[in-house]
Amino acid sequence: MVDKVDYFNVLEIETVIEKTEVVKKSKFITYICKISNKDELEVFLKNNKSDNASHNCYAYKYGFKNAVYGYHNDKEPSGTSGEPLLNIINSKNLTNIAILVVRYFGGVKLGTGNLKRAYCSNAISILTNIVIKKAKLFYKLVIKFNIQDSKQIINCINKINETKDLKLKYDDKKVISTIFIKTKELLKEILFKIEILYEKFDYF
């Protein structure tokens, strides 16, 4: 059975985005990064957490239908740091993302409401302005066909392929291409002329 969610939002950027805000003498440095697994999460945290900071709070989510997610408050009051960061991720239907907020305490207590806003404001600002794309459910197919059938097949593919950039690899008298389509029924007019070498139904 197909998951009811037909798309997730993912970051376009491949670098870490950083933004700093000072609230009542406390410095909050927010780092946001695209990740796709536990190892990438651990590298991101290792590279950006600070042993000299008062708190290193974060939230993350990666994967699609069976996403892995979590948060860490690092001794901040419950509901003020890690949880609201994860709520931001979920409210925007994001995945493959990690948000880390490094706090240097300035000596003035903020109270739970102000503390929550301080932990979230940079993340909200970044995610409002960053480029985000939709990862949708598609069939990813690698197909092979005879070069003499290229015109008919490529014309068909150009109508149904979900990506604009069609890449073709020529091997002797054969052509190999990777395409993304919503349903395999779209191939019915050329199905007898192609060989499917690989297929996967997932979010891309």
mmCIF file of all heavy atoms in Angstrom, residues 106-133:
data_model
loop_
_atom_site.group_PDB
_atom_site.id
_atom_site.type_symbol
_atom_site.label_atom_id
_atom_site.label_comp_id
_atom_site.label_asym_id
_atom_site.label_seq_id
_atom_site.Cartn_x
_atom_site.Cartn_y
_atom_site.Cartn_z
ATOM 1 N N GLY A 106 24.067 34.321 28.495
ATOM 2 C CA GLY A 106 24.570 35.666 28.766
ATOM 3 C C GLY A 106 24.323 36.165 30.165
ATOM 4 O O GLY A 106 24.602 37.331 30.477
ATOM 5 N N GLY A 107 23.769 35.300 31.034
ATOM 6 C CA GLY A 107 23.574 35.705 32.419
ATOM 7 C C GLY A 107 22.172 36.162 32.750
ATOM 8 O O GLY A 107 21.849 36.399 33.924
ATOM 9 N N VAL A 108 21.299 36.297 31.742
ATOM 10 C CA VAL A 108 19.926 36.743 31.964
ATOM 11 C C VAL A 108 18.975 35.610 31.587
ATOM 12 O O VAL A 108 18.981 35.134 30.445
ATOM 13 C CB VAL A 108 19.595 37.995 31.123
ATOM 14 C CG1 VAL A 108 18.139 38.419 31.352
ATOM 15 C CG2 VAL A 108 20.546 39.133 31.445
ATOM 16 N N LYS A 109 18.156 35.165 32.534
ATOM 17 C CA LYS A 109 17.186 34.112 32.238
ATOM 18 C C LYS A 109 16.074 34.668 31.357
ATOM 19 O O LYS A 109 15.570 35.763 31.592
ATOM 20 C CB LYS A 109 16.621 33.541 33.535
ATOM 21 C CG LYS A 109 17.650 32.760 34.361
ATOM 22 C CD LYS A 109 17.010 32.106 35.573
ATOM 23 C CE LYS A 109 18.039 31.272 36.343
ATOM 24 N NZ LYS A 109 17.425 30.606 37.521
ATOM 25 N N LEU A 110 15.677 33.877 30.381
ATOM 26 C CA LEU A 110 14.709 34.361 29.400
ATOM 27 C C LEU A 110 13.268 33.971 29.705
ATOM 28 O O LEU A 110 12.338 34.603 29.215
ATOM 29 C CB LEU A 110 15.076 33.830 28.009
ATOM 30 C CG LEU A 110 16.456 34.207 27.468
ATOM 31 C CD1 LEU A 110 16.636 33.647 26.065
ATOM 32 C CD2 LEU A 110 16.652 35.710 27.465
ATOM 33 N N GLY A 111 13.077 32.927 30.491
ATOM 34 C CA GLY A 111 11.728 32.400 30.670
ATOM 35 C C GLY A 111 11.402 31.466 29.519
ATOM 36 O O GLY A 111 11.951 31.589 28.418
ATOM 37 N N THR A 112 10.493 30.532 29.749
ATOM 38 C CA THR A 112 10.264 29.471 28.765
ATOM 39 C C THR A 112 9.753 29.996 27.425
ATOM 40 O O THR A 112 10.165 29.528 26.369
ATOM 41 C CB THR A 112 9.281 28.425 29.314
ATOM 42 O OG1 THR A 112 8.066 29.072 29.707
ATOM 43 C CG2 THR A 112 9.872 27.700 30.518
ATOM 44 N N GLY A 113 8.848 30.959 27.448
ATOM 45 C CA GLY A 113 8.294 31.494 26.206
ATOM 46 C C GLY A 113 9.352 32.173 25.353
ATOM 47 O O GLY A 113 9.474 31.909 24.149
ATOM 48 N N ASN A 114 10.112 33.080 25.956
ATOM 49 C CA ASN A 114 11.165 33.778 25.225
ATOM 50 C C ASN A 114 12.277 32.821 24.796
ATOM 51 O O ASN A 114 12.878 33.001 23.735
ATOM 52 C CB ASN A 114 11.756 34.894 26.090
ATOM 53 C CG ASN A 114 10.818 36.077 26.243
ATOM 54 O OD1 ASN A 114 10.017 36.343 25.349
ATOM 55 N ND2 ASN A 114 10.907 36.781 27.361
ATOM 56 N N LEU A 115 12.545 31.820 25.634
ATOM 57 C CA LEU A 115 13.591 30.854 25.309
ATOM 58 C C LEU A 115 13.203 30.047 24.068
ATOM 59 O O LEU A 115 14.019 29.842 23.158
ATOM 60 C CB LEU A 115 13.826 29.920 26.497
ATOM 61 C CG LEU A 115 15.024 28.962 26.395
ATOM 62 C CD1 LEU A 115 16.325 29.725 26.210
ATOM 63 C CD2 LEU A 115 15.099 28.082 27.647
ATOM 64 N N LYS A 116 11.960 29.618 24.008
ATOM 65 C CA LYS A 116 11.467 28.870 22.852
ATOM 66 C C LYS A 116 11.560 29.714 21.589
ATOM 67 O O LYS A 116 12.015 29.237 20.536
ATOM 68 C CB LYS A 116 10.017 28.434 23.093
ATOM 69 C CG LYS A 116 9.395 27.692 21.928
ATOM 70 C CD LYS A 116 7.958 27.297 22.250
ATOM 71 C CE LYS A 116 7.296 26.612 21.054
ATOM 72 N NZ LYS A 116 5.888 26.223 21.364
ATOM 73 N N ARG A 117 11.142 30.982 21.684
ATOM 74 C CA ARG A 117 11.210 31.870 20.518
ATOM 75 C C ARG A 117 12.654 32.084 20.078
ATOM 76 O O ARG A 117 12.946 32.131 18.870
ATOM 77 C CB ARG A 117 10.541 33.209 20.849
ATOM 78 C CG ARG A 117 9.019 33.157 20.798
ATOM 79 C CD ARG A 117 8.409 34.533 20.913
ATOM 80 N NE ARG A 117 8.535 35.071 22.262
ATOM 81 C CZ ARG A 117 7.662 34.838 23.229
ATOM 82 N NH1 ARG A 117 6.608 34.066 23.004
ATOM 83 N NH2 ARG A 117 7.837 35.366 24.422
ATOM 84 N N ALA A 118 13.559 32.207 21.046
ATOM 85 C CA ALA A 118 14.967 32.424 20.718
ATOM 86 C C ALA A 118 15.564 31.220 20.002
ATOM 87 O O ALA A 118 16.361 31.375 19.067
ATOM 88 C CB ALA A 118 15.754 32.727 21.991
ATOM 89 N N TYR A 119 15.178 30.028 20.437
ATOM 90 C CA TYR A 119 15.695 28.818 19.784
ATOM 91 C C TYR A 119 15.124 28.629 18.378
ATOM 92 O O TYR A 119 15.778 28.041 17.515
ATOM 93 C CB TYR A 119 15.390 27.578 20.638
ATOM 94 C CG TYR A 119 16.502 27.234 21.601
ATOM 95 C CD1 TYR A 119 16.397 27.523 22.956
ATOM 96 C CD2 TYR A 119 17.676 26.641 21.138
ATOM 97 C CE1 TYR A 119 17.422 27.227 23.833
ATOM 98 C CE2 TYR A 119 18.708 26.337 22.015
ATOM 99 C CZ TYR A 119 18.583 26.633 23.360
ATOM 100 O OH TYR A 119 19.611 26.353 24.216
ATOM 101 N N CYS A 120 13.926 29.146 18.149
ATOM 102 C CA CYS A 120 13.245 28.881 16.879
ATOM 103 C C CYS A 120 13.368 29.985 15.835
ATOM 104 O O CYS A 120 13.237 29.712 14.632
ATOM 105 C CB CYS A 120 11.762 28.626 17.146
ATOM 106 S SG CYS A 120 11.430 27.107 18.061
ATOM 107 N N SER A 121 13.609 31.214 16.260
ATOM 108 C CA SER A 121 13.491 32.342 15.329
ATOM 109 C C SER A 121 14.450 32.256 14.155
ATOM 110 O O SER A 121 14.075 32.524 13.001
ATOM 111 C CB SER A 121 13.677 33.673 16.072
ATOM 112 O OG SER A 121 14.981 33.746 16.632
ATOM 113 N N ASN A 122 15.701 31.890 14.420
ATOM 114 C CA ASN A 122 16.668 31.779 13.322
ATOM 115 C C ASN A 122 16.277 30.691 12.345
ATOM 116 O O ASN A 122 16.394 30.856 11.113
ATOM 117 C CB ASN A 122 18.065 31.474 13.869
ATOM 118 C CG ASN A 122 18.778 32.717 14.382
ATOM 119 O OD1 ASN A 122 18.418 33.829 14.037
ATOM 120 N ND2 ASN A 122 19.787 32.526 15.201
ATOM 121 N N ALA A 123 15.840 29.543 12.874
ATOM 122 C CA ALA A 123 15.451 28.415 12.021
ATOM 123 C C ALA A 123 14.268 28.798 11.128
ATOM 124 O O ALA A 123 14.256 28.503 9.931
ATOM 125 C CB ALA A 123 15.107 27.197 12.865
ATOM 126 N N ILE A 124 13.284 29.469 11.720
ATOM 127 C CA ILE A 124 12.114 29.897 10.944
ATOM 128 C C ILE A 124 12.539 30.870 9.846
ATOM 129 O O ILE A 124 12.097 30.772 8.702
ATOM 130 C CB ILE A 124 11.063 30.537 11.868
ATOM 131 C CG1 ILE A 124 10.459 29.481 12.796
ATOM 132 C CG2 ILE A 124 9.965 31.215 11.045
ATOM 133 C CD1 ILE A 124 9.574 30.049 13.883
ATOM 134 N N SER A 125 13.428 31.811 10.191
ATOM 135 C CA SER A 125 13.901 32.797 9.221
ATOM 136 C C SER A 125 14.641 32.136 8.065
ATOM 137 O O SER A 125 14.414 32.448 6.889
ATOM 138 C CB SER A 125 14.816 33.809 9.918
ATOM 139 O OG SER A 125 15.372 34.709 8.984
ATOM 140 N N ILE A 126 15.540 31.200 8.392
ATOM 141 C CA ILE A 126 16.316 30.515 7.359
ATOM 142 C C ILE A 126 15.403 29.720 6.436
ATOM 143 O O ILE A 126 15.502 29.795 5.209
ATOM 144 C CB ILE A 126 17.374 29.587 8.000
ATOM 145 C CG1 ILE A 126 18.464 30.413 8.693
ATOM 146 C CG2 ILE A 126 17.997 28.671 6.937
ATOM 147 C CD1 ILE A 126 19.424 29.579 9.527
ATOM 148 N N LEU A 127 14.502 28.949 7.029
ATOM 149 C CA LEU A 127 13.647 28.065 6.232
ATOM 150 C C LEU A 127 12.595 28.823 5.426
ATOM 151 O O LEU A 127 12.045 28.294 4.467
ATOM 152 C CB LEU A 127 12.978 27.022 7.135
ATOM 153 C CG LEU A 127 13.944 26.013 7.771
ATOM 154 C CD1 LEU A 127 13.207 25.129 8.770
ATOM 155 C CD2 LEU A 127 14.617 25.163 6.710
ATOM 156 N N THR A 128 12.331 30.061 5.810
ATOM 157 C CA THR A 128 11.408 30.893 5.043
ATOM 158 C C THR A 128 12.070 31.397 3.763
ATOM 159 O O THR A 128 11.411 31.598 2.742
ATOM 160 C CB THR A 128 10.931 32.097 5.887
ATOM 161 O OG1 THR A 128 10.242 31.609 7.039
ATOM 162 C CG2 THR A 128 9.997 32.996 5.087
ATOM 163 N N ASN A 129 13.382 31.564 3.811
ATOM 164 C CA ASN A 129 14.094 32.170 2.688
ATOM 165 C C ASN A 129 14.924 31.194 1.862
ATOM 166 O O ASN A 129 15.418 31.547 0.793
ATOM 167 C CB ASN A 129 15.013 33.281 3.210
ATOM 168 C CG ASN A 129 14.240 34.444 3.806
ATOM 169 O OD1 ASN A 129 13.636 35.215 3.091
ATOM 170 N ND2 ASN A 129 14.245 34.563 5.125
ATOM 171 N N ILE A 130 15.077 29.976 2.349
ATOM 172 C CA ILE A 130 15.920 29.003 1.667
ATOM 173 C C ILE A 130 15.148 28.324 0.530
ATOM 174 O O ILE A 130 13.917 28.293 0.538
ATOM 175 C CB ILE A 130 16.423 27.943 2.681
ATOM 176 C CG1 ILE A 130 17.655 27.219 2.162
ATOM 177 C CG2 ILE A 130 15.330 26.944 3.007
ATOM 178 C CD1 ILE A 130 18.267 26.292 3.202
ATOM 179 N N VAL A 131 15.870 27.801 -0.453
ATOM 180 C CA VAL A 131 15.237 27.086 -1.563
ATOM 181 C C VAL A 131 14.915 25.659 -1.121
ATOM 182 O O VAL A 131 15.787 24.910 -0.680
ATOM 183 C CB VAL A 131 16.148 27.051 -2.802
ATOM 184 C CG1 VAL A 131 15.492 26.246 -3.918
ATOM 185 C CG2 VAL A 131 16.449 28.465 -3.277
ATOM 186 N N ILE A 132 13.650 25.307 -1.218
ATOM 187 C CA ILE A 132 13.171 23.978 -0.826
ATOM 188 C C ILE A 132 12.464 23.345 -2.021
ATOM 189 O O ILE A 132 11.728 24.022 -2.742
ATOM 190 C CB ILE A 132 12.211 24.079 0.379
ATOM 191 C CG1 ILE A 132 12.974 24.544 1.637
ATOM 192 C CG2 ILE A 132 11.512 22.755 0.645
ATOM 193 C CD1 ILE A 132 12.083 24.829 2.820
ATOM 194 N N LYS A 133 12.700 22.080 -2.250
ATOM 195 C CA LYS A 133 12.021 21.399 -3.351
ATOM 196 C C LYS A 133 11.173 20.253 -2.806
ATOM 197 O O LYS A 133 11.385 19.781 -1.688
ATOM 198 C CB LYS A 133 13.029 20.864 -4.365
ATOM 199 C CG LYS A 133 13.847 19.687 -3.880
ATOM 200 C CD LYS A 133 14.699 19.117 -5.008
ATOM 201 C CE LYS A 133 15.432 17.857 -4.547
ATOM 202 N NZ LYS A 133 16.217 17.243 -5.652
#
